[in-house]
Amino acid sequence: EVQLVESGGGLVQAGGSLRLSCAASGFTFDGYAIGWFRQAPGKEREGVSCIGSSDGRTYYADSVKGRFTISSDNARSTVYLQMNSLTPEDTAVYYCAAVSLCDYYPIPYDFWGQGTQVTVAS
């Protein structure tokens, strides 16, 4: 069974940090890129970051560049999203998803996690 399980969300004050984890199982982890998306109430799901499977190349949305860092531990089949200098605008449900090649848009992604809530208080 394919599974992507996010963890690490929570409530944090503005300026604080969180590290999200995405644990994968049931598929060949190193054959897929892993992306992070977020969706705030009333808004569309947006791409946040992605890490490629073969070259480990990373991609970031402009809104998080310099604040978020994506990394991968292939031995643990886990991708992390380190989020620093958080602002209330980062409040959303964060999802990880698997795809052949990184893409900013959610449609090409094959597998999705259930999401983890991140709330940043002002």
Side-chain angles (χ1 to χ4, degrees):
E1 178 188 6
V2 172
Q3 278 195 317
L4 291 168
V5 180
E6 303 95 336
S7 61
L11 174 64
V12 65
Q13 294 294 315
S17 298
L18 285 173
R19 189 177 80 154
L20 305 183
S21 299
C22 172
S25 61
F27 63 98
T28 305
F29 180 76
D30 58 6
Y32 285 82
I34 301 294
W36 284 97
F37 290 79
R38 66 186 181 186
Q39 189 165 19
K43 295 189 176 181
E44 292 187 354
R45 191 168 297 190
E46 65 170 348
V48 174
S49 183
C50 188
I51 186 164
S53 59
S54 57
D55 57 7
R57 187 173 177 178
T58 58
Y59 304 85
Y60 299 94
D62 288 343
S63 58
V64 306
K65 277 181 184 175
R67 300 188 299 122
F68 290 11
T69 303
I70 191 170
S71 62
S72 179
D73 184 342
N74 285 1
R76 290 182 167 83
S77 298
T78 299
V79 169
Y80 304 97
L81 186 68
Q82 177 67 42
M83 307 187 297
N84 299 328
S85 302
L86 287 161
T87 74
E89 288 68 37
D90 296 313
T91 295
V93 177
Y94 283 70
Y95 301 88
C96 64
V99 68
S100 298
L101 294 173
C102 282
D103 198 294
Y104 177 77
Y105 297 99
I107 291 177
Y109 286 75
D110 298 306
F111 312 123
W112 288 85
Q114 82 290 347
T116 186
Q117 176 70 47
V118 171
T119 302
V120 184
S122 58

